[in-house]
């Protein structure tokens, strides 16, 4: 049987922690449950991580990294309107396909905001930084003010977060798919009003 490297084990523990947090919340995310979810013994977890705090630090990095990857993967390198639409849809599709990630991310950010302040903010800030950079790089027929980029990023984040809460609360996939279309149409209408462009065809 091949030996599993410490790096792979850490990755396993991080992903297991996300699953456990989604199911049991932060308070219920014991190291024993995380080790069991990762199909490893508790001693191995403590070999890889000196403390649960150290593990959670990597979980925060993982969550922030997932947001970056989703945003970058859904960047069409098109115009500003198309980029905003594609990124919003990509985030919602990611939530739809990864409901436990959505639940764990919400739990982690709100818990960290209460307990550590800056750590919870940092996860959100990193995602927003990637979103802003993607929007700034999009093509536009005329210069776009930094304030407008900020507003678009805020609207995308707010719509995506609202979708995630609704999906997490009700868990009805068929309804969520319909709500994705409604959410994108809201962004289209806002962009049309803000940028003076025609709403995208659905």
């Amino acid at each position: 049987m091949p030996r599993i490297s410490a790096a792979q084990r850490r990755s396993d523990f991080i992903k297991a922690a996300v699953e456990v947090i989604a199911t049991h919340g932060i308070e219920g995310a014991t190291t024993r449950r995380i080790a069991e979810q990762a199909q490893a013994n508790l001693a191995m977890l403590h070999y890889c991580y000196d403390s649960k705090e150290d593990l959670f630090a990597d979980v925060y990095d993982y969550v922030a990294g997932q947001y970056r990857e989703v945003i970058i993967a859904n960047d069409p390198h098109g115009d500003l309107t198309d980029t905003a639409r594609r990124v919003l849809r990509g985030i919602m599709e990611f939530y739809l396909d990864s409901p436990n990630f959505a639940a764990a991310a919400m739990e982690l950010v709100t818990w960290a905001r209460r307990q550590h302040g800056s750590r919870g903010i940092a996860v959100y800030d990193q995602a927003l930084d990637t979103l802003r950079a993607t929007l700034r790089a999009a093509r536009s027929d005329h210069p776009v003010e930094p304030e407008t980029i900020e507003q678009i990023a805020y609207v995308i984040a707010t719509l995506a977060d609202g979708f995630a809460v609704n999906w997490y609360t009700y868990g009805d996939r068929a309804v969520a798919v319909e709500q994705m279309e409604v959410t994108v149409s809201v962004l289209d209408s806002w962009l049309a009003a803000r940028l003076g462009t025609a709403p995208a065809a659905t």
Side-chain angles (χ1 to χ4, degrees):
M1 185 173 183
R3 184 173 180 272
I4 300 174
S5 69
Q8 180 58 54
R9 271 303 184 199
R10 281 192 289 272
S11 177
D12 293 342
F13 288 133
I14 290 166
K15 292 174 183 176
V18 168
E19 296 297 316
V20 173
I21 290 167
T23 304
H24 299 283
I26 291 287
E27 301 304 327
T30 63
T31 53
R32 185 173 299 280
R33 277 179 171 152
I34 293 168
E36 288 172 357
Q37 179 68 33
Q39 298 182 342
N41 60 50
L42 192 57
M44 177 58 71
L45 189 151
H46 289 301
Y47 172 78
C48 292
Y49 289 102
D50 291 333
S51 67
K52 191 163 78 169
E53 283 289 317
D54 289 340
L55 169 57
F56 276 22
D58 277 0
V59 172
Y60 284 114
D61 288 342
Y62 171 77
V63 168
Q66 288 294 105
Y67 280 119
R68 284 194 300 273
E69 287 179 18
V70 169
I71 292 167
I72 291 168
N74 286 282
D75 177 6
H77 302 291
D79 65 25
L80 184 55
T81 298
D82 189 40
T83 298
R85 294 179 86 250
R86 288 277 297 274
V87 168
L88 174 60
R89 184 178 292 280
I91 295 170
M92 291 191 295
E93 287 174 348
F94 178 65
Y95 283 150
L96 198 62
D97 292 338
S98 309
N100 280 359
F101 177 87
M106 287 188 288
E107 177 80 11
L108 279 162
V109 170
T110 54
W111 179 83
R113 184 68 182 87
R114 292 193 305 270
Q115 299 295 321
H116 302 290
S118 60
R119 180 171 283 176
I121 294 170
V123 171
Y124 210 74
D125 276 348
Q126 289 175 45
L128 283 173
D129 285 346
T130 303
L131 179 53
R132 291 185 193 102
T134 299
L135 294 171
R136 282 195 296 268
R139 295 196 310 270
S140 179
D141 293 335
H142 51 79
V144 179
E145 296 294 326
E147 178 187 2
T148 301
I149 296 296
E150 286 292 329
Q151 291 173 353
I152 297 171
Y154 168 78
V155 171
I156 291 172
T158 301
L159 291 173
D161 290 348
F163 172 84
V165 171
N166 198 279
W167 165 229
Y168 173 66
T169 301
Y170 295 105
D172 188 324
R173 187 179 182 89
V175 171
V177 168
E178 293 177 3
Q179 289 172 340
M180 282 175 57
E181 300 308 318
V182 173
T183 305
V184 172
S185 72
V186 170
L187 176 65
D188 283 342
S189 297
W190 185 87
L191 287 169
R194 185 69 181 81
L195 301 177
T197 57
T202 55

